[in-house]
Amino acid sequence: MIIAIDGPAASGKGTIAKQIASVYGLHHLDTGLIYRAVAKALLDAGRSPENAEAALAAAIALDPAKFGEPALKTQKVTEAASVVAAIPEVRQALMNYQRAFATKSPGAVLDGRDIGTVIAPGADVKLFVVATPQVRAARRVLELRARGEDADENAVLADLLRRDERDSRRSAAPLKAAPDAHLLDTTHLSIDAAFRAAVDIIEAARTGRKRR
Ligand code: DC
């Protein structure tokens, strides 16, 4: 079984994906980490994230063993990841790794921006997770503060909106719901309620019954 979970930053898709993978016994890939790893490699080498040639070389040299590095979550890397993710050659170079992951046995949950549209268009279930920008910014502020980083709510909201805009407007695999994706709005849902709503969608899709 392949489950594709897409949506904008801080919509709750990552948390849902992790829990779903754990409950169903599936592999999980947070595909944002791939773009973050490429961005960090560029920044570490003193290169611009807009440098397509250097970004492609970093994408080809991708090392999944480094996906756990806390440094991938810094604001600098976050911003640069959105820039490298707009380079079509970079996306192309990272496609095989993601598609191979998606077909691992017994199945996989992948979360990102283009899983249901480009990476796994044949996924068994597709979720598109959304929440209002204000709620997403508030979640991100809590996350950053929990990690000891400075976080101003207005600045975080502005960053999120800028990133949404860049991720949605790019020509290569923009952030958008697949036509057959199920929309899940987590604006007013707790983490647990969002997880239960996701399970309900998945079970309905698997058994062909109507959602509650
Ligand atoms: O989900 P995230 O915030 O970790 O993603 C970081 C950046 O990577 C995000 O701005 C857009 C990009 N991304 C993408 O273009 N496609 C994906 N499948 C996942 C992430």
Side-chain angles (χ1 to χ4, degrees):
M1 176 160 70
I2 300 176
I3 301 179
I5 306 187
D6 291 301
S11 57
K13 65 181 188 310
T15 306
I16 292 172
K18 224 178 283 165
Q19 292 178 329
I20 292 291
S22 157
V23 164
Y24 285 90
L26 304 171
H27 300 283
H28 170 232
L29 180 62
D30 167 358
T31 61
L33 289 177
I34 299 176
Y35 296 94
R36 287 170 182 270
V38 171
K40 181 169 181 293
L42 286 174
L43 296 177
D44 286 350
R47 314 300 288 267
S48 160
E50 283 171 19
N51 182 331
E53 209 177 309
L56 176 59
I60 290 169
L62 182 78
D63 180 4
K66 294 186 177 162
F67 286 174
E69 284 185 7
L72 295 184
K73 298 287 183 178
T74 62
Q75 307 218 50
K76 257 192 127 159
V77 171
T78 300
E79 177 68 18
S82 172
V83 174
V84 298
I87 303 171
E89 295 84 353
V90 168
R91 304 198 71 86
Q92 185 63 38
L94 298 170
M95 196 177 288
N96 283 347
Y97 173 74
Q98 295 175 81
R99 288 196 167 153
F101 192 98
T103 56
K104 274 186 170 188
S105 174
V109 181
L110 285 82
D111 71 87
R113 305 291 189 290
D114 64 337
I115 308 304
T117 50
V118 175
I119 301 298
D124 299 277
V125 189
K126 299 179 186 177
L127 300 183
F128 195 76
V129 184
V130 297
T132 61
Q134 286 71 20
V135 163
R136 293 191 286 124
R139 289 175 186 161
R140 192 40 54 87
V141 165
L142 287 179
E143 233 177 81
L144 290 169
R145 289 191 182 148
R147 282 208 305 269
E149 283 193 55
D150 244 0
D152 169 75
E153 200 145 329
N154 288 328
V156 169
L157 176 60
D159 280 356
L160 268 185
L161 292 175
R162 198 176 52 244
R163 211 143 67 87
D164 280 359
E165 166 99 3
R166 196 188 289 124
D167 295 343
S168 313
R169 292 265 174 112
R170 67 180 181 224
S171 56
L175 164 67
K176 71 166 187 245
D180 53 347
H182 300 272
L183 190 71
L184 174 52
D185 187 340
T186 66
T187 302
H188 303 294
L189 300 182
S190 64
I191 290 179
D192 191 49
F195 165 69
R196 281 185 279 114
V199 169
D200 192 39
I201 292 169
I202 293 165
E203 286 308 305
R206 270 156 50 108
T207 58
R209 74 165 161 78
K210 277 210 157 43
R211 278 167 69 189
R212 274 180 274 164

